[in-house]
Amino acid sequence: MNLNHFVKSAFRSIIKNRTFSLINITGLIVGLAVVIILFSWINTQLNFDRFHNDSKQLYLVVQQMDENGRKEDGNATPAPLAMLLQSNFPEIA
């Protein structure tokens, strides 16, 4: 069997079973899109702040706010917090 015969028979099968082929192709497209999005998100999370020389010593300080009965997390902290944390925790450089 050569490649030309395989391609022709595949297209004939797709045309003959349009609904079944559409469902399968749609499922394949959705699956690939989900995998690409997950890979991109995981890659971003694993490489967060890796460009710093001492990236293993960096930590993210998260602030929890309660506004109108909704709890929200934010990573914007005031500048004087660094001095306060350094004075209270001797291990912070």
Side-chain angles (χ1 to χ4, degrees):
M1 227 186 235
N2 61 9
L3 184 62
N4 190 24
H5 178 70
F6 177 73
V7 172
K8 280 183 185 179
S9 64
F11 277 121
R12 286 180 188 156
S13 176
I14 289 172
I15 291 171
K16 184 178 177 183
N17 303 315
R18 287 183 181 167
T19 305
F20 182 72
S21 298
L22 181 67
I23 292 170
N24 279 335
I25 292 171
T26 304
L28 178 65
I29 291 170
V30 168
L32 286 174
V34 168
V35 166
I36 290 170
I37 290 170
L38 278 174
F39 177 75
S40 175
W41 181 76
I42 290 171
N43 191 28
T44 302
Q45 294 297 315
L46 290 177
N47 292 324
F48 183 76
D49 280 346
R50 296 273 183 197
F51 58 90
H52 290 286
N53 292 335
D54 295 328
S55 64
K56 293 192 185 267
Q57 295 181 358
L58 293 179
Y59 292 92
L60 178 65
V61 177
V62 178
Q63 175 182 352
Q64 289 186 343
M65 297 172 280
D66 189 12
E67 295 184 16
N68 302 329
R70 295 181 304 156
K71 288 191 175 185
E72 294 182 9
D73 293 339
N75 58 0
T77 54
L81 181 64
M83 291 180 286
L84 178 70
L85 289 175
Q86 281 180 341
S87 66
N88 291 337
F89 298 100
E91 59 269 7
I92 294 179

